[in-house]
Coordinates of all heavy atoms in Angstrom, one line a residue:
M141 N 149.0 82.0 55.8 CA 149.7 82.7 54.8 C 148.8 82.8 53.6 O 148.1 81.9 53.2 CB 151.0 81.9 54.4 CG 151.7 82.5 53.2 SD 153.3 81.8 52.8 CE 153.1 80.1 53.1
V142 N 148.8 84.0 53.0 CA 148.0 84.2 51.8 C 148.9 84.3 50.6 O 149.8 85.1 50.6 CB 147.2 85.6 51.9 CG1 146.4 85.9 50.7 CG2 146.3 85.5 53.1
L143 N 148.6 83.5 49.6 CA 149.4 83.6 48.4 C 148.6 84.3 47.3 O 147.4 84.0 47.1 CB 149.7 82.1 47.9 CG 150.6 81.3 48.8 CD1 150.8 80.0 48.3 CD2 151.9 82.0 49.0
L144 N 149.2 85.2 46.6 CA 148.5 85.9 45.6 C 149.3 85.7 44.2 O 150.5 85.6 44.2 CB 148.5 87.4 45.8 CG 147.8 87.9 47.1 CD1 148.1 89.4 47.3 CD2 146.4 87.6 47.0
A145 N 148.5 85.5 43.2 CA 149.1 85.4 41.9 C 149.0 86.7 41.2 O 147.9 87.3 41.1 CB 148.4 84.3 41.1
I146 N 150.1 87.2 40.7 CA 150.0 88.5 39.9 C 150.8 88.2 38.6 O 151.7 87.4 38.5 CB 150.6 89.7 40.6 CG1 152.1 89.4 41.0 CG2 149.8 90.0 41.8 CD1 152.8 90.7 41.5
N147 N 150.4 88.9 37.6 CA 151.0 88.8 36.3 C 152.1 89.8 36.1 O 151.8 91.0 36.1 CB 150.0 89.0 35.2 CG 150.6 88.7 33.8 OD1 151.6 88.1 33.7 ND2 149.9 89.2 32.8
L148 N 153.4 89.4 36.2 CA 154.5 90.3 36.1 C 155.0 90.3 34.6 O 155.4 89.3 34.1 CB 155.6 89.9 37.0 CG 155.3 89.9 38.5 CD1 156.5 89.4 39.3 CD2 154.9 91.2 39.0
P149 N 154.9 91.5 34.0 CA 155.2 91.6 32.6 C 156.6 91.3 32.1 O 156.8 90.6 31.1 CB 154.9 93.1 32.2 CG 154.7 93.8 33.5 CD 154.6 92.8 34.6
A150 N 157.6 91.8 32.9 CA 159.0 91.5 32.4 C 159.9 91.3 33.6 O 159.9 92.2 34.5 CB 159.5 92.7 31.6
P151 N 160.6 90.2 33.7 CA 161.5 90.0 34.9 C 162.5 91.1 35.0 O 163.2 91.5 34.0 CB 162.1 88.7 34.6 CG 161.7 88.2 33.3 CD 160.7 89.2 32.7
N152 N 162.6 91.6 36.2 CA 163.6 92.7 36.6 C 163.5 94.0 35.8 O 164.3 94.8 35.9 CB 165.1 92.1 36.4 CG 165.3 90.9 37.2 OD1 164.8 90.9 38.4 ND2 166.0 90.0 36.7
G153 N 162.4 94.1 35.1 CA 162.1 95.4 34.4 C 161.4 96.4 35.2 O 160.8 96.0 36.3
I154 N 161.3 97.6 34.8 CA 160.6 98.7 35.5 C 159.1 98.3 35.6 O 158.4 98.6 36.5 CB 160.8 100.1 34.9 CG1 160.3 101.1 35.9 CG2 160.2 100.2 33.5 CD1 161.0 101.3 37.2
E155 N 158.6 97.6 34.5 CA 157.2 97.2 34.6 C 157.0 96.2 35.7 O 155.9 96.2 36.3 CB 156.8 96.5 33.2 CG 156.9 97.4 32.0 CD 158.3 97.4 31.4 OE1 159.2 96.6 31.8 OE2 158.6 98.3 30.6
C156 N 157.9 95.4 36.0 CA 157.8 94.4 37.1 C 157.7 95.2 38.4 O 156.9 94.9 39.3 CB 159.1 93.5 37.1 SG 159.1 92.3 38.4
V157 N 158.6 96.2 38.6 CA 158.5 97.0 39.8 C 157.2 97.7 39.9 O 156.6 97.6 41.0 CB 159.7 98.0 39.8 CG1 159.5 99.0 41.0 CG2 161.0 97.4 39.8
R158 N 156.7 98.2 38.9 CA 155.4 98.9 38.9 C 154.3 97.9 39.3 O 153.4 98.3 40.0 CB 155.1 99.6 37.6 CG 155.9 100.8 37.4 CD 155.6 101.6 36.1 NE 156.4 102.7 35.9 CZ 157.0 103.0 34.8 NH1 156.9 102.3 33.8 NH2 157.8 104.1 34.8
A159 N 154.3 96.7 38.7 CA 153.3 95.7 39.0 C 153.4 95.3 40.4 O 152.3 95.2 41.1 CB 153.5 94.5 38.1
L160 N 154.6 95.1 41.0 CA 154.7 94.8 42.4 C 154.1 95.9 43.3 O 153.4 95.6 44.3 CB 156.2 94.5 42.7 CG 156.7 93.2 42.4 CD1 158.2 93.2 42.5 CD2 156.1 92.1 43.2
L161 N 154.5 97.1 43.0 CA 154.0 98.2 43.8 C 152.5 98.4 43.7 O 151.8 98.7 44.7 CB 154.7 99.5 43.4 CG 156.2 99.6 43.6 CD1 156.7 100.9 43.1 CD2 156.5 99.5 45.1
A162 N 151.9 98.1 42.6 CA 150.5 98.2 42.4 C 149.8 97.0 43.2 O 148.8 97.2 43.8 CB 150.1 98.1 41.0
A163 N 150.4 95.8 43.1 CA 149.8 94.7 43.8 C 150.0 94.6 45.3 O 149.2 94.1 46.0 CB 150.4 93.4 43.1
F164 N 151.1 95.2 45.8 CA 151.4 95.2 47.2 C 151.6 96.6 47.7 O 152.8 97.0 47.8 CB 152.6 94.3 47.4 CG 152.5 92.9 46.9 CD1 153.0 92.6 45.7 CD2 151.7 92.0 47.6 CE1 152.8 91.3 45.2 CE2 151.6 90.7 47.1 CZ 152.1 90.4 45.9
P165 N 150.6 97.3 48.0 CA 150.7 98.7 48.5 C 151.6 98.9 49.7 O 152.2 99.9 49.9 CB 149.3 99.2 48.7 CG 148.4 98.1 48.2 CD 149.2 96.9 48.0
A166 N 151.7 97.9 50.5 CA 152.5 98.0 51.7 C 154.0 98.2 51.4 O 154.7 98.6 52.3 CB 152.3 96.7 52.6
I167 N 154.4 97.8 50.2 CA 155.9 97.9 49.9 C 156.1 99.1 49.0 O 157.2 99.3 48.5 CB 156.4 96.6 49.3 CG1 155.8 96.3 47.9 CG2 156.4 95.5 50.2 CD1 156.6 95.3 47.1
K168 N 155.2 100.1 49.0 CA 155.3 101.2 48.1 C 156.6 102.1 48.5 O 157.1 102.8 47.7 CB 154.1 102.1 48.1 CG 153.0 101.5 47.2 CD 151.9 102.5 47.0 CE 150.9 101.9 46.0 NZ 149.8 102.8 45.7
T169 N 157.0 102.0 49.7 CA 158.1 102.8 50.1 C 159.4 102.2 49.7 O 160.4 102.9 49.8 CB 158.1 103.0 51.7 OG1 158.2 101.7 52.3 CG2 156.9 103.7 52.1
V170 N 159.4 101.0 49.2 CA 160.7 100.4 48.7 C 161.0 100.9 47.3 O 160.1 100.8 46.4 CB 160.6 98.8 48.7 CG1 161.8 98.2 48.2 CG2 160.3 98.3 50.1
M171 N 162.1 101.5 47.2 CA 162.5 102.1 45.9 C 162.9 101.1 44.9 O 163.3 100.0 45.3 CB 163.7 103.1 46.2 CG 163.4 104.2 47.2 SD 162.0 105.2 46.8 CE 162.6 106.1 45.4
P172 N 162.7 101.4 43.6 CA 163.1 100.4 42.5 C 164.5 99.9 42.7 O 164.7 98.7 42.4 CB 162.9 101.2 41.3 CG 161.9 102.3 41.6 CD 162.2 102.6 43.0
T173 N 165.5 100.7 43.1 CA 166.8 100.2 43.2 C 166.9 99.2 44.4 O 167.7 98.2 44.4 CB 167.9 101.3 43.4 OG1 167.4 102.1 44.5 CG2 168.1 102.1 42.2
E174 N 166.1 99.4 45.4 CA 166.0 98.5 46.5 C 165.4 97.2 46.1 O 165.8 96.1 46.6 CB 165.3 99.1 47.7 CG 166.1 100.3 48.3 CD 165.2 101.1 49.2 OE1 164.0 101.1 49.2 OE2 165.9 101.9 50.0
V175 N 164.4 97.2 45.3 CA 163.7 96.0 44.7 C 164.7 95.2 43.9 O 164.8 94.0 44.1 CB 162.5 96.4 43.9 CG1 162.0 95.1 43.2 CG2 161.4 97.0 44.7
K176 N 165.5 95.9 43.1 CA 166.6 95.2 42.4 C 167.6 94.6 43.3 O 168.0 93.5 43.1 CB 167.2 96.2 41.4 CG 168.3 95.6 40.5 CD 167.8 94.7 39.5 CE 168.9 94.2 38.6 NZ 168.4 93.1 37.7
T177 N 168.0 95.3 44.4 CA 168.9 94.8 45.3 C 168.3 93.5 46.0 O 169.1 92.5 46.2 CB 169.2 95.9 46.4 OG1 169.8 97.0 45.8 CG2 170.2 95.3 47.4
I178 N 167.1 93.5 46.3 CA 166.4 92.4 46.9 C 166.5 91.2 46.0 O 166.9 90.1 46.4 CB 164.9 92.6 47.3 CG1 164.8 93.6 48.4 CG2 164.2 91.3 47.7 CD1 163.4 94.2 48.6
S179 N 166.2 91.4 44.7 CA 166.3 90.4 43.7 C 167.7 89.8 43.6 O 167.9 88.6 43.5 CB 165.9 91.0 42.3 OG 166.0 90.0 41.3
L180 N 168.7 90.7 43.6 CA 170.1 90.2 43.5 C 170.5 89.4 44.8 O 171.3 88.5 44.7 CB 171.0 91.4 43.3 CG 170.8 92.1 41.9 CD1 171.6 93.4 41.8 CD2 171.1 91.2 40.8
I181 N 170.1 89.9 45.9 CA 170.4 89.2 47.2 C 169.8 87.8 47.1 O 170.4 86.8 47.5 CB 169.8 89.9 48.4 CG1 170.6 91.2 48.6 CG2 169.9 89.0 49.7 CD1 170.0 92.2 49.6
R182 N 168.5 87.7 46.6 CA 167.9 86.4 46.4 C 168.6 85.5 45.5 O 168.6 84.2 45.6 CB 166.4 86.5 46.0 CG 165.8 85.2 45.8 CD 164.3 85.3 46.0 NE 163.7 83.9 46.0 CZ 163.0 83.4 45.1 NH1 162.7 84.0 44.0 NH2 162.5 82.1 45.2
Q183 N 169.3 86.0 44.5 CA 170.2 85.2 43.6 C 171.5 84.9 44.2 O 172.4 84.4 43.6 CB 170.4 86.0 42.3 CG 169.1 86.3 41.5 CD 169.4 87.2 40.4 OE1 170.4 87.1 39.7 NE2 168.5 88.1 40.1
S184 N 171.7 85.1 45.5 CA 172.9 84.8 46.3 C 174.1 85.6 45.9 O 175.2 85.1 46.1 CB 173.2 83.3 46.2 OG 172.1 82.5 46.7
L185 N 173.9 86.8 45.4 CA 175.0 87.6 45.1 C 175.5 88.3 46.3 O 174.8 88.7 47.2 CB 174.6 88.7 44.1 CG 174.8 88.3 42.6 CD1 173.9 87.2 42.2 CD2 174.6 89.5 41.7
S186 N 176.8 88.4 46.4 CA 177.5 89.1 47.5 C 177.4 90.6 47.3 O 177.1 91.1 46.2 CB 178.9 88.7 47.6 OG 179.6 89.1 46.5
T187 N 177.7 91.4 48.3 CA 177.7 92.8 48.2 C 178.6 93.3 47.1 O 178.2 94.1 46.2 CB 178.1 93.5 49.5 OG1 177.0 93.2 50.5 CG2 178.2 95.0 49.4
P188 N 179.9 92.8 47.0 CA 180.7 93.2 45.8 C 180.1 92.9 44.5 O 180.3 93.6 43.5 CB 182.0 92.4 46.1 CG 182.1 92.2 47.5 CD 180.6 91.9 47.9
Q189 N 179.4 91.7 44.4 CA 178.8 91.4 43.1 C 177.6 92.3 42.8 O 177.4 92.7 41.6 CB 178.3 89.9 43.1 CG 179.5 88.9 43.2 CD 179.0 87.5 43.5 OE1 178.2 87.3 44.3 NE2 179.6 86.6 42.7
I190 N 176.9 92.7 43.8 CA 175.8 93.6 43.6 C 176.3 95.0 43.2 O 175.7 95.6 42.4 CB 174.9 93.7 44.9 CG1 174.2 92.4 45.2 CG2 173.9 94.8 44.8 CD1 173.5 92.3 46.5
V191 N 177.4 95.4 43.8 CA 178.0 96.7 43.4 C 178.3 96.7 42.0 O 178.0 97.7 41.3 CB 179.3 96.9 44.3 CG1 180.2 97.9 43.7 CG2 179.0 97.2 45.7
E192 N 178.9 95.6 41.4 CA 179.2 95.5 40.0 C 178.0 95.5 39.1 O 177.9 96.2 38.1 CB 180.0 94.2 39.7 CG 181.4 94.2 40.2 CD 182.2 93.0 39.9 OE1 181.8 92.3 38.9 OE2 183.1 92.7 40.6
K193 N 176.9 94.8 39.6 CA 175.7 94.8 38.8 C 174.9 96.1 38.7 O 174.4 96.5 37.7 CB 174.7 93.7 39.3 CG 175.2 92.3 39.2 CD 174.7 91.8 37.9 CE 175.0 90.3 37.8 NZ 174.6 89.7 36.5
L194 N 174.9 96.8 39.8 CA 174.2 98.1 39.9 C 175.0 99.3 39.6 O 174.5 100.4 39.5 CB 173.6 98.2 41.3 CG 172.5 97.2 41.8 CD1 172.0 97.5 43.2 CD2 171.4 97.1 40.8
F195 N 176.3 99.1 39.4 CA 177.2 100.2 39.1 C 177.2 101.3 40.2 O 177.0 102.5 39.9 CB 177.0 100.8 37.7 CG 177.0 99.8 36.6 CD1 175.9 99.3 36.1 CD2 178.3 99.3 36.2 CE1 175.9 98.4 35.0 CE2 178.3 98.4 35.2 CZ 177.2 97.9 34.6
V196 N 177.2 100.9 41.5 CA 177.2 101.8 42.6 C 178.3 101.4 43.5 O 179.0 100.4 43.3 CB 175.8 101.7 43.3 CG1 174.7 102.2 42.4 CG2 175.5 100.4 43.9
G197 N 178.5 102.2 44.6 CA 179.5 101.9 45.6 C 179.1 100.9 46.6 O 177.9 100.7 46.8
T198 N 180.0 100.4 47.3 CA 179.8 99.4 48.4 C 178.9 100.0 49.5 O 177.9 99.4 50.0 CB 181.1 99.0 49.1 OG1 181.9 98.4 48.0 CG2 180.9 98.0 50.2
E199 N 179.1 101.3 49.9 CA 178.3 101.9 50.9 C 176.9 102.1 50.4 O 175.9 102.1 51.2 CB 178.9 103.3 51.3 CG 180.2 103.1 52.1 CD 180.1 102.2 53.3 OE1 179.2 102.4 54.1 OE2 181.0 101.4 53.5
T200 N 176.7 102.3 49.1 CA 175.3 102.4 48.6 C 174.5 101.1 48.8 O 173.4 101.1 49.2 CB 175.3 102.9 47.1 OG1 176.0 104.1 47.0 CG2 173.9 103.0 46.5
V201 N 175.2 100.0 48.4 CA 174.5 98.7 48.6 C 174.3 98.5 50.1 O 173.2 98.0 50.4 CB 175.4 97.6 48.0 CG1 174.8 96.2 48.3 CG2 175.5 97.8 46.5
K202 N 175.2 98.8 50.9 CA 175.0 98.6 52.4 C 173.8 99.5 52.8 O 172.9 99.0 53.6 CB 176.2 99.0 53.2 CG 177.3 98.0 53.0 CD 178.5 98.4 53.8 CE 179.7 97.4 53.7 NZ 180.9 97.9 54.4
S203 N 173.7 100.7 52.3 CA 172.6 101.5 52.6 C 171.2 101.0 52.1 O 170.2 101.0 52.8 CB 172.8 102.9 52.0 OG 171.7 103.8 52.3
H204 N 171.2 100.4 50.9 CA 170.0 99.8 50.4 C 169.6 98.7 51.3 O 168.4 98.5 51.6 CB 170.3 99.2 49.0 CG 170.4 100.3 47.9 ND1 169.7 101.5 47.9 CD2 171.0 100.3 46.7 CE1 170.0 102.2 46.8 NE2 170.8 101.5 46.1
R205 N 170.5 97.8 51.7 CA 170.2 96.7 52.5 C 169.6 97.1 53.9 O 168.6 96.6 54.3 CB 171.5 95.8 52.8 CG 172.0 95.1 51.5 CD 173.2 94.3 51.8 NE 172.9 93.0 52.3 CZ 173.3 91.9 51.8 NH1 174.1 91.9 50.8 NH2 172.9 90.8 52.3
K206 N 170.2 98.2 54.5 CA 169.7 98.7 55.7 C 168.3 99.3 55.6 O 167.4 99.0 56.4 CB 170.7 99.8 56.3 CG 170.3 100.3 57.6 CD 171.2 101.5 58.0 CE 170.7 102.7 57.2 NZ 171.2 104.0 57.6
N207 N 168.1 100.0 54.5 CA 166.8 100.6 54.2 C 165.7 99.5 54.0 O 164.6 99.7 54.5 CB 166.9 101.6 53.0 CG 167.7 102.8 53.3 OD1 167.8 103.2 54.5 ND2 168.1 103.4 52.3
I208 N 166.1 98.5 53.3 CA 165.2 97.4 53.0 C 164.7 96.8 54.3 O 163.5 96.5 54.5 CB 165.8 96.4 52.1 CG1 166.0 96.9 50.7 CG2 165.0 95.1 52.1 CD1 167.0 96.1 49.8
H209 N 165.7 96.5 55.2 CA 165.4 95.9 56.5 C 164.5 96.8 57.3 O 163.5 96.3 57.9 CB 166.7 95.5 57.2 CG 167.3 94.3 56.7 ND1 167.3 93.1 57.4 CD2 168.1 94.1 55.6 CE1 168.0 92.2 56.8 NE2 168.4 92.7 55.7
C210 N 164.7 98.1 57.3 CA 163.9 99.0 58.0 C 162.5 99.1 57.4 O 161.5 99.0 58.2 CB 164.5 100.4 58.1 SG 166.0 100.5 59.1
K211 N 162.4 99.3 56.1 CA 161.1 99.5 55.5 C 160.2 98.2 55.6 O 159.0 98.3 55.7 CB 161.3 99.9 54.0 CG 161.9 101.3 53.8 CD 162.2 101.6 52.4 CE 162.7 103.0 52.2 NZ 163.0 103.3 50.8
L212 N 160.8 97.1 55.5 CA 160.0 95.8 55.5 C 159.9 95.3 57.0 O 159.3 94.3 57.2 CB 160.7 94.8 54.6 CG 160.7 95.1 53.2 CD1 161.4 94.0 52.4 CD2 159.4 95.4 52.6
N213 N 160.5 96.0 57.9 CA 160.5 95.6 59.3 C 161.0 94.2 59.5 O 160.3 93.3 60.1 CB 159.1 95.8 59.9 CG 159.1 95.8 61.4 OD1 160.1 96.1 62.0 ND2 158.0 95.3 62.0
I214 N 162.1 93.9 59.0 CA 162.7 92.6 59.1 C 164.1 92.7 59.7 O 164.7 93.8 59.7 CB 162.8 91.8 57.8 CG1 163.7 92.6 56.8 CG2 161.5 91.5 57.2 CD1 163.9 91.9 55.4
T215 N 164.6 91.6 60.4 CA 165.9 91.7 61.0 C 166.9 90.6 60.5 O 168.0 90.7 60.8 CB 165.7 91.5 62.5 OG1 165.0 90.3 62.8 CG2 164.9 92.7 63.1
H216 N 166.4 89.6 59.8 CA 167.2 88.5 59.4 C 167.2 88.3 57.9 O 166.1 88.6 57.2 CB 166.8 87.2 60.1 CG 166.9 87.3 61.6 ND1 168.1 87.3 62.2 CD2 165.9 87.3 62.5 CE1 167.8 87.3 63.5 NE2 166.5 87.4 63.7
L217 N 168.3 87.9 57.3 CA 168.4 87.6 55.9 C 167.3 86.6 55.5 O 166.7 86.7 54.4 CB 169.7 87.1 55.5 CG 170.0 86.7 54.1 CD1 169.7 87.9 53.2 CD2 171.3 86.1 53.9
S218 N 167.0 85.6 56.3 CA 166.0 84.6 56.0 C 164.6 85.2 55.8 O 163.9 84.8 54.9 CB 165.9 83.5 57.1 OG 165.6 84.1 58.3
E219 N 164.3 86.3 56.6 CA 163.0 87.0 56.4 C 163.0 87.7 55.0 O 162.0 87.7 54.3 CB 162.8 88.0 57.5 CG 162.6 87.4 58.9 CD 162.6 88.4 59.9 OE1 163.6 89.1 60.1 OE2 161.6 88.5 60.6
L220 N 164.1 88.3 54.7 CA 164.2 89.0 53.4 C 164.1 88.0 52.2 O 163.4 88.2 51.3 CB 165.6 89.7 53.2 CG 165.8 90.4 51.9 CD1 164.7 91.5 51.7 CD2 167.2 91.1 51.9
L221 N 164.7 86.8 52.3 CA 164.6 85.8 51.3 C 163.2 85.3 51.2 O 162.7 85.0 50.1 CB 165.6 84.7 51.6 CG 167.1 85.1 51.5 CD1 168.0 83.9 51.9 CD2 167.5 85.6 50.1
D222 N 162.5 85.1 52.3 CA 161.1 84.7 52.3 C 160.3 85.7 51.6 O 159.4 85.4 50.8 CB 160.6 84.5 53.7 CG 161.1 83.3 54.4 OD1 161.7 82.4 53.7 OD2 161.0 83.2 55.7
F223 N 160.5 87.0 51.9 CA 159.7 88.1 51.3 C 160.0 88.1 49.8 O 159.0 88.2 49.0 CB 160.2 89.4 51.9 CG 159.5 90.6 51.2 CD1 158.3 91.1 51.6 CD2 160.2 91.3 50.2 CE1 157.7 92.2 51.0 CE2 159.6 92.3 49.5 CZ 158.4 92.8 49.9
A224 N 161.2 88.0 49.4 CA 161.6 88.0 48.0 C 160.9 86.8 47.2 O 160.3 87.0 46.1 CB 163.1 87.9 47.8
R225 N 160.9 85.6 47.8 CA 160.3 84.5 47.2 C 158.8 84.7 47.1 O 158.2 84.4 46.0 CB 160.7 83.2 48.0 CG 160.2 81.9 47.3 CD 160.4 80.7 48.2 NE 159.6 80.7 49.4 CZ 160.1 80.9 50.6 NH1 161.3 81.2 50.8 NH2 159.3 81.0 51.7
E226 N 158.2 85.1 48.2 CA 156.7 85.3 48.2 C 156.3 86.3 47.2 O 155.1 86.3 46.7 CB 156.3 85.7 49.6 CG 156.4 84.5 50.6 CD 156.1 85.0 52.0 OE1 155.8 86.2 52.2 OE2 156.4 84.2 52.9
H227 N 157.1 87.3 46.9 CA 156.7 88.4 46.0 C 157.3 88.3 44.6 O 157.3 89.2 43.8 CB 157.0 89.7 46.6 CG 156.2 90.0 47.8 ND1 156.7 89.6 49.1 CD2 155.0 90.5 48.0 CE1 155.7 89.9 50.0 NE2 154.7 90.5 49.3
G228 N 157.9 87.1 44.3 CA 158.5 86.9 43.0 C 159.6 87.7 42.6 O 159.9 88.0 41.4
L229 N 160.4 88.1 43.5 CA 161.7 88.9 43.2 C 162.8 88.0 43.0 O 163.0 86.9 43.5 CB 161.9 89.9 44.3 CG 160.8 90.9 44.6 CD1 161.2 91.7 45.8 CD2 160.6 91.7 43.4

């Protein structure tokens, strides 16, 4: 496993998303709202809680989760949580 240290300017801000995308080109296809969704999942928020935080519908959050799993080529929540922890989300 390779650990990289990056300087993230503002937690959960657009600058953080830009820094992540610059530091990890492999995740460029993950949209900013999906990055935010990953962060909220890592905080142990449920789908209804994420809906409230992002001001979107339940189906939108479900779609984000599905897209995240496809884009990152993961199948289990534990893999998503590992990814989020490793990338400071």
Side-chain angles (χ1 to χ4, degrees):
M141 174 175 38
V142 175
L143 296 178
L144 299 174
I146 59 171
N147 186 15
L148 298 177
N152 300 323
I154 191 67
E155 298 86 11
C156 180
V157 172
R158 287 185 181 131
L160 280 170
L161 294 177
F164 304 99
I167 65 167
K168 281 192 178 180
T169 59
V170 179
M171 303 303 291
T173 52
E174 293 166 344
V175 172
K176 182 66 175 173
T177 301
I178 293 169
S179 176
L180 295 172
I181 291 169
R182 180 153 188 250
Q183 295 173 39
S184 300
L185 271 64
S186 66
T187 295
Q189 292 169 317
I190 295 171
V191 164
E192 288 182 24
K193 291 270 187 184
L194 296 181
F195 303 104
V196 296
T198 301
E199 292 304 315
T200 301
V201 173
K202 289 180 182 179
S203 178
H204 287 329
R205 293 177 83 126
K206 182 185 78 167
N207 291 339
I208 290 163
H209 282 255
C210 288
K211 290 177 180 181
L212 298 179
N213 195 28
I214 58 175
T215 56
H216 301 287
L217 179 60
S218 61
E219 293 172 300
L220 178 60
L221 295 175
D222 288 343
F223 175 86
R225 185 184 67 254
E226 290 171 7
H227 294 92
L229 300 176

